[in-house]
Amino acid sequence: GLSTGFLGLGAMGYPMAAHLARQGQASGGAAYVWNRTAEKAERHARQYGSLAASLAEAAQVDVLFTCLPTSAEVSELIGRLRPHLRPGTFWVDCTSGHPEAAQRQRAELAELGVSFLDAPVSGGTGGAEAGTLTVMLGGPEEEVEAVRPALAFGGKVVRVGETGAGFAVKAVNNVLLAANLWAAGEGLSVLARRGVNLGAALEVINASSGRSNASENLIGQRVLTREFPLTFALGLLAKDADIALDVALSAKASVPVLAQVAALYRAAAHSVGAEHDHSAALQLLERMNAQEIT
Ligand code: NDP
């Protein structure tokens, strides 16, 4: 089987790497893990039978995965791994990164004979645990096909174009998530101020054409309950909206609504706190309206 390395055992990486460990055990391929805070890698090894490794050891694999906050941390790791990488390795970056960074990183790694593919994922921590993530890949078709068997955490795997296209699609998906969440929050704020029961309102909207993942899942489970459980940080969603806006600007697209959404989530991250769950963006809206969405 293919040997794999996974760098970055965060909310997504930890459960994603568990599927690589399981697949490695079934196929006889070693699954190495590395994390900046090493204790998490040791816990992963005890829990799933992966191999906690140094960065240099983790670099000696067929397919090296990263899942870090932004492209900046990926570039930092490319720099640290430079002396250890072997020609023929695939570097599959599952970070929700920046398309322009992907192009630079692919060129930098190509000098070492390493193939960089952008491969961001959607489906959240639940999809990562279930191994049903959607993976959107950018890069040459034959390289995408070469890594496809290694994507043990994937449900739907789609090549969306050349290098950077995966990151562009991911950024657009997430700015749509942000827009839908904010818009549903505005709608429910209006109804709350008018004295309508929001449980009843959501029941109707979710059986009607105004529904979205935000109305069907996020608002009922995270906002009305006041729990705002942390699975995906607000700062990361604000980062994704900014990437979508960068992509729009470099494509010279006119996107007034998406630009507004990026500004609102940047404000929410400053105002509510970037480390809170993304659903807590609606706490800024609640302040704007002096009205809890509950
Ligand atoms: P987390 O904050 O939970 O994890 C971040 C990981 O990056 C940790 O392993 C952390 O290590 C590591 N890290 C941070 N800075 C550095 C650094 N300078 N050098 C090395 N390692 C570093 O993030 P998520 O797992 O939630 O998100 C990861 C990526 O996946 C992001 O791009 C996000 O947008 C995307 N994503 C997130 C989803 C979600 O639902 N959470 C869904 C889909 C995509 P340490 O443990 O030491 O802090």
Side-chain angles (χ1 to χ4, degrees):
L2 291 171
S3 62
T4 61
F6 203 106
L7 315 180
L9 304 174
M12 292 299 286
Y14 196 93
M16 287 167 75
H19 293 281
L20 298 178
R22 272 186 218 113
Q23 177 161 292
Q25 281 148 16
S27 69
Y32 295 94
V33 291
W34 176 88
N35 193 64
R36 178 180 61 177
T37 309
E39 186 274 324
K40 276 193 210 168
E42 286 149 20
R43 181 153 50 89
H44 198 276
R46 287 195 301 274
Q47 198 172 344
Y48 298 113
S50 53
L51 301 163
S54 68
L55 265 188
E57 286 167 336
Q60 309 302 308
V61 293
D62 299 312
V63 186
L64 188 58
F65 293 92
T66 33
C67 190
L68 301 173
T70 74
S71 288
E73 289 81 19
V74 177
S75 282
E76 192 185 312
L77 274 194
I78 291 175
R80 288 174 68 183
L81 277 172
R82 205 168 228 296
H84 307 290
L85 288 165
R86 298 186 314 171
T89 295
F90 289 93
W91 185 310
V92 177
D93 184 21
C94 299
T95 304
S96 299
H98 200 295
E100 286 169 15
Q103 275 159 3
R104 286 195 302 273
Q105 291 164 341
R106 181 168 172 87
E108 184 180 353
L109 287 169
E111 290 171 18
L112 306 172
V114 171
S115 297
F116 177 95
L117 297 173
D118 46 313
V121 296
S122 66
T125 54
E129 280 153 24
T132 57
L133 292 172
T134 297
V135 189
M136 50 214 94
L137 284 128
E141 199 159 352
E142 61 282 7
E143 295 182 22
V144 168
E145 292 315 310
V147 301
R148 192 184 280 273
L151 307 175
F153 45 75
K156 183 184 273 292
V157 177
V158 184
R159 176 180 179 268
V160 292
E162 296 302 333
T163 299
F167 289 160
V169 171
K170 176 63 186 175
V172 167
N173 177 75
N174 276 26
V175 78
L176 294 178
L177 150 65
N180 290 337
L181 175 61
W182 191 274
E186 287 195 10
L188 292 178
S189 298
V190 172
L191 295 174
R193 289 189 60 87
R194 206 182 179 286
V196 173
N197 176 283
L198 295 190
L202 268 185
E203 189 183 342
V204 169
I205 290 166
N206 288 337
S208 306
S209 45
R211 70 184 180 274
S212 63
N213 179 60
S215 72
E216 290 181 323
N217 296 305
L218 295 177
I219 292 190
Q221 292 163 22
R222 299 183 187 223
V223 182
L224 297 194
T225 59
R226 314 310 292 162
E227 285 174 9
F228 306 99
L230 175 60
T231 64
F232 176 38
L234 175 52
L236 293 176
L237 182 54
K239 170 264 298 175
D240 292 334
D242 285 345
I243 293 172
L245 192 54
D246 275 357
V247 172
L249 290 175
S250 58
K252 300 215 186 305
S254 172
V255 289
V257 173
L258 301 189
Q260 200 79 271
V261 168
L264 286 166
Y265 278 76
R266 194 45 70 197
H270 287 313
S271 157
V272 176
E275 68 288 2
H276 289 98
D277 188 61
H278 64 302
S279 58
L282 295 193
Q283 290 172 11
L284 172 59
L285 180 62
E286 292 178 337
R287 290 171 198 164
M288 291 162 71
N289 284 300
Q291 176 65 57
E292 277 198 357
I293 301 166
T294 192

